[in-house]
Amino acid sequence: MLKTEAVELALKLKVLDKRMMKEIEISALEVGHYVVKIVKQVKQFTLTQPGHIKSDLVIKNMAAKGVISLLIDTSKTKKEHHPRKNKNAPVIMDVYKAKELFTQSKAIQKQVFSDAQSGKPLDLSPVEKITDETINEIFKNPDALACVINIRNTDEYLLEHSVSVSVLMTIFARFLKVEKAIIQELSIGAFLHDVGKIMVPENILNKPGKLTTEEFSIMKTHVNHSIDIIKKTPGISALSLEVAALHHEKLDGNGYPFNVVGDDISTYGRMISICDIFDALTANRCYKKGYNHIKAFNILRKLAENNHLDQRLVNLFIKCMGVYPVGSLVELNSNKIAIVEERNIDDPTNPKVRYFYNSEKNNYVMAEDIDLAKNDDFIVKGVRADDFDLNMNKIIEFLLMQG
């Protein structure tokens, strides 16, 4: 081909390529469109990579993130798109609503702390409403919210911890077949259990190193403050108060604030201790990284052996969450990083996972579902996103885009 002909062809292809590119509003985005990049937005949402829109939930998520318009490649639009049926959809597709609930819960929790700090009686109505919505969602799909509590902001630990413990308490109580009306009282108590921490000086509350004896004495008073605040809350139930009051008691009597011993600690008090410790162990904070789930489970077992926690309930909690909890990350023998999407009841060490990242090449890849019970690949260990300089929010966004 002559040089002039090559130049002309290149120019024609460039013009054709431009014609294939089209900027559209988010309201015009449809399943099957191939998104090249975001053009206008009100926030800082970024695409991990260009790709096809595979579900309406992806579009809703982008709209919620403030995306206004996008550049699509019309030549790559899939005319016939067959989304998965809901019953077979991966849990990641249900995370959108769960994230909304979690965000709303944090906003209500923030108001609770603000009212407590200013000495106002707590308004129980929004707490009852959001815990009721959360319970209903968990009864429909506990895995979605279990997945969401892995997405944490290190600078919002106090808010997120209280919400997460409430979610864990609900998931655990449902697993134990507790009556739904009782579960709401437990959920409210868990939601409010740490409200007294607002009275603890910030330099002690967020101290990165070990607390001195004097500082720990001050820290322990948060339970007393919680009890005082919850007692003054109009409409609060005795069970909600009980759950909050017992969350730091130990079976051997060395807990606080009342050194309650053994049988005097109710089943619900024993349950919240497990949920509280598990969340504290797995959450990232501004001064320390959280443990992966397997290590956290081992610590819970050790605490049970030392008569701090109820051994039977610890084993049931681990069974409830799964050896590899839904929403947790695992590294496979093939150097694949995957998110656990579904537990395998008959083979708990081989769950169904969704592979999305290659740890050897340090790059995202096209998501692929793997049933480890039917695959030669296997889990080497549970991992955390920050082990690979990844961000759970980005991972979820990527998986939502993959459909």
Side-chain angles (χ1 to χ4, degrees):
M1 185 184 289
L2 296 174
K3 186 177 180 182
T4 52
E5 290 176 328
V7 170
E8 284 178 11
L9 180 59
L11 287 171
K12 283 179 182 177
L13 289 171
K14 195 171 182 181
V15 170
L16 183 62
D17 189 48
K18 282 185 178 179
R19 285 177 186 168
M20 297 299 182
M21 299 297 173
K22 181 181 178 183
E23 183 181 348
I24 62 170
E25 301 292 313
I26 186 70
S27 57
L29 188 63
E30 296 179 359
V31 173
H33 278 155
Y34 186 89
V35 176
V36 177
K37 66 178 182 178
I38 294 167
V39 180
K40 296 174 187 172
Q41 62 176 321
V42 294
K43 297 182 182 178
Q44 293 297 314
F45 177 67
T46 55
L47 292 178
T48 308
Q49 62 184 35
H52 287 99
I53 298 296
K54 297 187 177 180
S55 76
D56 290 327
L57 276 173
V58 174
I59 299 171
K60 286 180 182 177
N61 185 51
M62 293 176 82
K65 290 289 183 181
V67 175
I68 298 170
S69 67
L70 315 94
L71 188 68
I72 65 168
D73 185 341
T74 59
S75 69
K76 295 182 180 179
T77 298
K78 289 185 177 180
K79 302 296 182 184
E80 295 182 11
H81 179 75
H82 302 286
R84 304 175 189 219
K85 293 179 182 178
N86 287 337
K87 66 177 182 178
N88 295 322
V91 70
I92 204 71
M93 301 311 292
D94 296 319
V95 164
Y96 180 77
K97 184 174 181 183
K99 280 182 74 175
E100 282 187 332
L101 268 178
F102 198 78
T103 301
Q104 290 169 26
S105 296
K106 283 201 299 181
I108 292 167
Q109 188 69 250
K110 191 173 184 179
Q111 187 61 52
V112 163
F113 278 102
S114 176
D115 288 346
Q117 192 170 37
S118 61
K120 293 181 185 175
L122 304 186
D123 182 0
L124 200 59
S125 298
V127 177
E128 288 175 330
K129 185 174 183 296
I130 198 67
T131 51
D132 188 51
E133 286 181 37
T134 302
I135 290 165
N136 288 334
E137 193 62 25
I138 286 170
F139 266 71
K140 283 189 283 184
N141 185 358
D143 290 339
L145 268 155
C147 186
V148 165
I149 60 177
N150 291 314
I151 310 168
R152 309 291 282 272
N153 296 318
T154 54
D155 56 350
E156 290 189 318
Y157 172 74
L158 188 56
L159 294 177
E160 294 186 334
H161 172 67
S162 297
V163 174
S164 297
V165 172
S166 183
V167 169
L168 288 169
M169 191 71 171
T170 302
I171 291 171
F172 193 19
R174 175 184 177 271
F175 177 80
L176 296 177
K177 295 182 170 54
V178 175
E179 187 184 332
K180 202 171 183 181
I182 299 291
I183 291 178
Q184 183 164 32
E185 293 182 54
L186 300 177
S187 180
I188 290 169
F191 195 92
L192 300 176
H193 82 284
D194 262 352
V195 65
K197 279 188 176 174
I198 202 68
M199 304 301 183
V200 177
E202 195 170 333
N203 64 309
I204 294 176
L205 195 61
N206 295 318
K207 183 178 178 180
K210 187 177 179 181
L211 297 176
T212 64
T213 303
E214 185 181 351
E215 287 169 339
F216 188 53
S217 295
I218 295 170
M219 174 65 88
K220 289 194 291 186
T221 63
H222 82 270
V223 185
N224 304 82
H225 290 306
S226 289
I227 292 168
D228 291 342
I229 293 164
I230 294 169
K231 272 184 179 177
K232 294 173 186 173
T233 302
I236 198 75
S237 76
L239 185 53
S240 295
L241 176 60
E242 175 194 309
V243 164
L246 292 172
H247 77 274
H248 275 303
E249 298 293 353
K250 298 176 182 177
L251 295 181
D252 63 2
N254 289 318
Y256 61 89
F258 304 120
N259 305 112
V260 184
V261 182
D263 291 341
D264 291 331
I265 303 175
S266 68
T267 297
Y268 302 133
R270 298 173 188 217
M271 286 167 63
I272 194 172
S273 294
I274 294 167
C275 296
D276 179 63
I277 293 170
F278 176 75
D279 188 72
L281 289 170
T282 54
N284 277 338
R285 308 192 204 185
C286 54
Y287 53 82
K288 82 166 189 72
K289 288 183 179 181
Y291 296 129
N292 66 50
H293 292 81
I294 299 300
K295 186 166 184 179
F297 288 151
N298 287 334
I299 292 172
L300 289 179
R301 285 194 180 103
K302 190 70 177 175
L303 290 170
E305 287 171 13
N306 293 333
N307 201 32
H308 292 175
L309 299 175
D310 185 306
Q311 195 157 39
R312 182 184 72 88
L313 286 173
V314 164
N315 289 334
L316 285 169
F317 179 77
I318 294 169
K319 187 176 180 181
C320 165
M321 298 302 293
V323 178
Y324 297 104
V326 170
S328 64
L329 301 184
V330 291
E331 184 172 10
L332 306 183
N333 186 56
S334 57
N335 296 313
K336 295 173 179 176
I337 305 301
I339 189 167
V340 178
E341 288 218 304
E342 188 180 329
R343 283 166 287 181
N344 188 332
I345 303 300
D346 298 324
D347 191 357
T349 59
N350 287 305
K352 292 179 181 178
V353 301
R354 179 163 257 215
Y355 157 51
F356 65 90
Y357 192 81
N358 187 308
S359 61
E360 198 172 35
K361 297 180 180 177
N362 297 316
N363 67 319
Y364 282 88
V365 295
M366 187 68 72
E368 176 190 346
D369 294 322
I370 306 172
D371 184 347
L372 293 175
K374 301 174 182 176
N375 194 285
D376 291 336
D377 212 346
F378 58 89
I379 295 173
V380 174
K381 60 182 176 179
V383 295
R384 296 183 60 88
D386 39 35
D387 293 340
F388 303 92
D389 293 322
L390 298 175
N391 177 288
M392 274 304 291
N393 266 307
K394 295 285 185 187
I395 291 169
I396 297 299
E397 299 296 353
F398 173 74
L399 292 170
L400 282 170
M401 282 292 293
Q402 292 287 299

